[in-house]
Amino acid sequence: MGTAQQIAHFLRELKDGDTWRRAAAAKGPGSVGRDAHAWVLVEAADDHAPEVREAVAAGLGGLGVAEAGRTVLPALMGDEDPWVPADQRPGRFGSAGRAGAVFPGS
């Protein structure tokens, strides 16, 4: 499966999948996505399932998009649910995402 097909699959699953499929799909763009995919993750950051919110944090950490980070990372970092543990929150990376991109001012 090519990258475009993977992204299409992730986007479909984020909208229509069950909790675990949405969670898996939220992590995908952090590995193979582009900056534009960060906004899909921002929209998913308020998912009712904490497993999905945790995955969104990981996905955004992988993408390292500054604007998206400023928009949603404070809420994810303050998430009280144990499914969004401190060691998985984007704040764990300081101001840098997993890919090394910097979140200025986040």
Side-chain angles (χ1 to χ4, degrees):
M1 185 182 310
T3 301
Q5 292 166 321
Q6 286 177 312
I7 293 295
H9 174 74
F10 296 145
L11 298 178
R12 226 178 7 260
E13 290 296 322
L14 267 172
K15 289 183 179 188
D16 299 327
D18 64 19
T19 297
W20 297 107
R21 287 173 151 322
R22 290 192 322 276
K27 292 179 183 176
S31 309
V32 297
R34 291 186 232 130
D35 290 1
H37 300 120
W39 299 108
V40 174
L41 294 177
V42 167
E43 290 176 13
D46 66 353
D47 194 283
H48 69 277
E51 300 89 344
V52 176
R53 295 192 308 271
E54 181 271 334
V56 165
L60 283 171
L63 286 173
V65 177
E67 281 184 50
R70 282 190 296 274
T71 300
V72 76
L73 293 183
L76 288 171
M77 290 170 64
D79 199 310
E80 299 281 329
D81 197 285
W83 271 101
V84 189
D87 68 341
Q88 289 297 311
R89 293 179 199 145
R92 168 181 147 204
F93 307 109
S95 62
R98 290 181 191 216
V102 175
F103 296 131
S106 63

Short mmCIF file of all heavy atoms in Angstrom, two decimals, residues 25-55:
data_model
loop_
_atom_site.label_atom_id
_atom_site.label_comp_id
_atom_site.label_asym_id
_atom_site.label_seq_id
_atom_site.Cartn_x
_atom_site.Cartn_y
_atom_site.Cartn_z
N ALA A 25 -5.73 4.73 13.62
CA ALA A 25 -5.69 5.66 12.49
C ALA A 25 -5.10 7.00 12.90
O ALA A 25 -4.44 7.67 12.09
CB ALA A 25 -7.09 5.85 11.92
N ALA A 26 -5.30 7.43 14.13
CA ALA A 26 -4.78 8.72 14.58
C ALA A 26 -3.26 8.72 14.68
O ALA A 26 -2.62 9.76 14.54
CB ALA A 26 -5.40 9.10 15.92
N LYS A 27 -2.67 7.57 14.91
CA LYS A 27 -1.21 7.48 14.99
C LYS A 27 -0.55 7.47 13.61
O LYS A 27 0.58 7.91 13.46
CB LYS A 27 -0.79 6.23 15.75
CG LYS A 27 -1.15 6.27 17.21
CD LYS A 27 -0.73 4.99 17.90
CE LYS A 27 -1.16 5.01 19.35
NZ LYS A 27 -0.84 3.75 20.02
N GLY A 28 -1.26 6.99 12.62
CA GLY A 28 -0.69 6.82 11.29
C GLY A 28 -0.10 8.06 10.65
O GLY A 28 1.04 8.03 10.17
N PRO A 29 -0.83 9.17 10.63
CA PRO A 29 -0.26 10.36 9.97
C PRO A 29 1.04 10.84 10.60
O PRO A 29 1.86 11.46 9.93
CB PRO A 29 -1.38 11.40 10.13
CG PRO A 29 -2.62 10.60 10.20
CD PRO A 29 -2.22 9.36 10.99
N GLY A 30 1.28 10.55 11.86
CA GLY A 30 2.53 10.94 12.50
C GLY A 30 3.73 10.24 11.89
O GLY A 30 4.85 10.74 11.95
N SER A 31 3.51 9.09 11.25
CA SER A 31 4.59 8.34 10.63
C SER A 31 4.75 8.66 9.15
O SER A 31 5.86 8.76 8.66
CB SER A 31 4.32 6.84 10.73
OG SER A 31 4.02 6.47 12.03
N VAL A 32 3.63 8.77 8.45
CA VAL A 32 3.71 8.91 6.99
C VAL A 32 2.99 10.14 6.45
O VAL A 32 2.99 10.37 5.26
CB VAL A 32 3.14 7.65 6.29
CG1 VAL A 32 3.95 6.42 6.62
CG2 VAL A 32 1.67 7.45 6.62
N GLY A 33 2.40 10.92 7.33
CA GLY A 33 1.61 12.06 6.88
C GLY A 33 2.43 13.30 6.58
O GLY A 33 3.65 13.34 6.73
N ARG A 34 1.71 14.31 6.13
CA ARG A 34 2.30 15.62 5.86
C ARG A 34 1.65 16.64 6.78
O ARG A 34 0.67 16.35 7.45
CB ARG A 34 2.04 16.00 4.40
CG ARG A 34 2.81 15.12 3.44
CD ARG A 34 2.66 15.62 2.01
NE ARG A 34 2.23 14.48 1.22
CZ ARG A 34 1.22 14.46 0.39
NH1 ARG A 34 0.51 15.53 0.18
NH2 ARG A 34 0.89 13.38 -0.25
N ASP A 35 2.17 17.84 6.76
CA ASP A 35 1.65 18.90 7.63
C ASP A 35 0.14 19.07 7.52
O ASP A 35 -0.54 19.30 8.51
CB ASP A 35 2.33 20.23 7.32
CG ASP A 35 3.79 20.25 7.76
OD1 ASP A 35 4.28 19.23 8.28
OD2 ASP A 35 4.43 21.29 7.56
N ALA A 36 -0.39 18.97 6.30
CA ALA A 36 -1.82 19.18 6.08
C ALA A 36 -2.68 18.19 6.88
O ALA A 36 -3.81 18.49 7.23
CB ALA A 36 -2.15 19.07 4.60
N HIS A 37 -2.14 17.04 7.20
CA HIS A 37 -2.90 16.03 7.94
C HIS A 37 -3.03 16.37 9.42
O HIS A 37 -3.85 15.78 10.12
CB HIS A 37 -2.27 14.66 7.75
CG HIS A 37 -2.24 14.25 6.32
ND1 HIS A 37 -1.07 13.98 5.65
CD2 HIS A 37 -3.23 14.13 5.40
CE1 HIS A 37 -1.35 13.69 4.39
NE2 HIS A 37 -2.65 13.77 4.21
N ALA A 38 -2.25 17.32 9.89
CA ALA A 38 -2.33 17.70 11.29
C ALA A 38 -3.72 18.21 11.64
O ALA A 38 -4.22 17.98 12.74
CB ALA A 38 -1.29 18.77 11.61
N TRP A 39 -4.37 18.89 10.71
CA TRP A 39 -5.68 19.47 11.01
C TRP A 39 -6.74 18.40 11.18
O TRP A 39 -7.69 18.58 11.93
CB TRP A 39 -6.05 20.51 9.95
CG TRP A 39 -5.01 21.58 10.00
CD1 TRP A 39 -4.03 21.83 9.08
CD2 TRP A 39 -4.76 22.47 11.09
NE1 TRP A 39 -3.21 22.83 9.53
CE2 TRP A 39 -3.64 23.25 10.75
CE3 TRP A 39 -5.38 22.68 12.31
CZ2 TRP A 39 -3.13 24.22 11.60
CZ3 TRP A 39 -4.87 23.66 13.15
CH2 TRP A 39 -3.76 24.42 12.79
N VAL A 40 -6.58 17.26 10.53
CA VAL A 40 -7.50 16.15 10.74
C VAL A 40 -7.33 15.64 12.17
O VAL A 40 -8.30 15.33 12.86
CB VAL A 40 -7.24 15.02 9.73
CG1 VAL A 40 -8.08 13.80 10.02
CG2 VAL A 40 -7.48 15.52 8.31
N LEU A 41 -6.09 15.59 12.64
CA LEU A 41 -5.83 15.15 14.00
C LEU A 41 -6.35 16.16 15.02
O LEU A 41 -6.88 15.78 16.06
CB LEU A 41 -4.34 14.89 14.21
CG LEU A 41 -3.76 13.73 13.41
CD1 LEU A 41 -2.27 13.61 13.64
CD2 LEU A 41 -4.47 12.44 13.75
N VAL A 42 -6.22 17.44 14.71
CA VAL A 42 -6.76 18.48 15.60
C VAL A 42 -8.25 18.27 15.79
O VAL A 42 -8.77 18.34 16.90
CB VAL A 42 -6.45 19.89 15.06
CG1 VAL A 42 -7.26 20.95 15.78
CG2 VAL A 42 -4.96 20.18 15.18
N GLU A 43 -8.96 17.97 14.70
CA GLU A 43 -10.40 17.74 14.79
C GLU A 43 -10.70 16.50 15.65
O GLU A 43 -11.71 16.45 16.33
CB GLU A 43 -11.00 17.57 13.41
CG GLU A 43 -11.02 18.87 12.61
CD GLU A 43 -11.53 18.67 11.19
OE1 GLU A 43 -12.10 17.59 10.89
OE2 GLU A 43 -11.35 19.59 10.40
N ALA A 44 -9.83 15.51 15.61
CA ALA A 44 -10.05 14.27 16.36
C ALA A 44 -9.64 14.40 17.83
O ALA A 44 -9.92 13.51 18.63
CB ALA A 44 -9.29 13.12 15.70
N ALA A 45 -9.00 15.50 18.20
CA ALA A 45 -8.48 15.65 19.56
C ALA A 45 -9.57 15.73 20.62
O ALA A 45 -9.30 15.53 21.80
CB ALA A 45 -7.59 16.89 19.64
N ASP A 46 -10.79 16.02 20.21
CA ASP A 46 -11.88 16.06 21.20
C ASP A 46 -12.76 14.81 21.13
O ASP A 46 -13.89 14.81 21.60
CB ASP A 46 -12.71 17.33 21.04
CG ASP A 46 -13.46 17.40 19.73
OD1 ASP A 46 -13.25 16.52 18.86
OD2 ASP A 46 -14.27 18.32 19.56
N ASP A 47 -12.22 13.75 20.56
CA ASP A 47 -12.95 12.48 20.49
C ASP A 47 -13.37 12.07 21.90
O ASP A 47 -12.66 12.31 22.87
CB ASP A 47 -12.04 11.41 19.88
CG ASP A 47 -12.80 10.17 19.46
OD1 ASP A 47 -13.15 9.35 20.35
OD2 ASP A 47 -13.04 10.01 18.26
N HIS A 48 -14.54 11.46 22.01
CA HIS A 48 -15.04 11.04 23.32
C HIS A 48 -14.19 9.92 23.93
O HIS A 48 -14.19 9.74 25.13
CB HIS A 48 -16.52 10.62 23.23
CG HIS A 48 -16.72 9.36 22.47
ND1 HIS A 48 -16.80 9.33 21.09
CD2 HIS A 48 -16.83 8.08 22.89
CE1 HIS A 48 -16.97 8.07 20.70
NE2 HIS A 48 -16.99 7.30 21.76
N ALA A 49 -13.48 9.18 23.10
CA ALA A 49 -12.68 8.05 23.59
C ALA A 49 -11.26 8.51 23.95
O ALA A 49 -10.54 9.03 23.10
CB ALA A 49 -12.62 6.95 22.54
N PRO A 50 -10.85 8.31 25.19
CA PRO A 50 -9.50 8.72 25.59
C PRO A 50 -8.40 7.98 24.82
O PRO A 50 -7.33 8.53 24.61
CB PRO A 50 -9.45 8.40 27.08
CG PRO A 50 -10.56 7.46 27.33
CD PRO A 50 -11.60 7.72 26.29
N GLU A 51 -8.68 6.77 24.37
CA GLU A 51 -7.70 6.03 23.58
C GLU A 51 -7.37 6.77 22.29
O GLU A 51 -6.23 6.79 21.84
CB GLU A 51 -8.22 4.63 23.25
CG GLU A 51 -8.53 3.77 24.45
CD GLU A 51 -9.95 3.92 24.97
OE1 GLU A 51 -10.65 4.89 24.63
OE2 GLU A 51 -10.37 3.05 25.75
N VAL A 52 -8.39 7.40 21.73
CA VAL A 52 -8.20 8.16 20.49
C VAL A 52 -7.44 9.45 20.79
O VAL A 52 -6.53 9.83 20.04
CB VAL A 52 -9.55 8.45 19.79
CG1 VAL A 52 -9.36 9.33 18.56
CG2 VAL A 52 -10.24 7.14 19.42
N ARG A 53 -7.77 10.12 21.88
CA ARG A 53 -7.05 11.35 22.24
C ARG A 53 -5.57 11.07 22.48
O ARG A 53 -4.70 11.84 22.08
CB ARG A 53 -7.69 12.01 23.46
CG ARG A 53 -9.11 12.49 23.19
CD ARG A 53 -9.66 13.39 24.27
NE ARG A 53 -9.58 12.87 25.62
CZ ARG A 53 -10.51 12.12 26.22
NH1 ARG A 53 -11.62 11.78 25.57
NH2 ARG A 53 -10.34 11.72 27.47
N GLU A 54 -5.27 9.94 23.12
CA GLU A 54 -3.87 9.56 23.34
C GLU A 54 -3.17 9.36 22.00
O GLU A 54 -2.04 9.80 21.79
CB GLU A 54 -3.80 8.28 24.18
CG GLU A 54 -2.40 7.81 24.48
CD GLU A 54 -1.82 6.88 23.44
OE1 GLU A 54 -2.57 6.19 22.76
OE2 GLU A 54 -0.58 6.86 23.32
N ALA A 55 -3.85 8.70 21.07
CA ALA A 55 -3.27 8.45 19.75
C ALA A 55 -3.09 9.75 18.97
O ALA A 55 -2.11 9.92 18.23
CB ALA A 55 -4.14 7.48 18.97
#
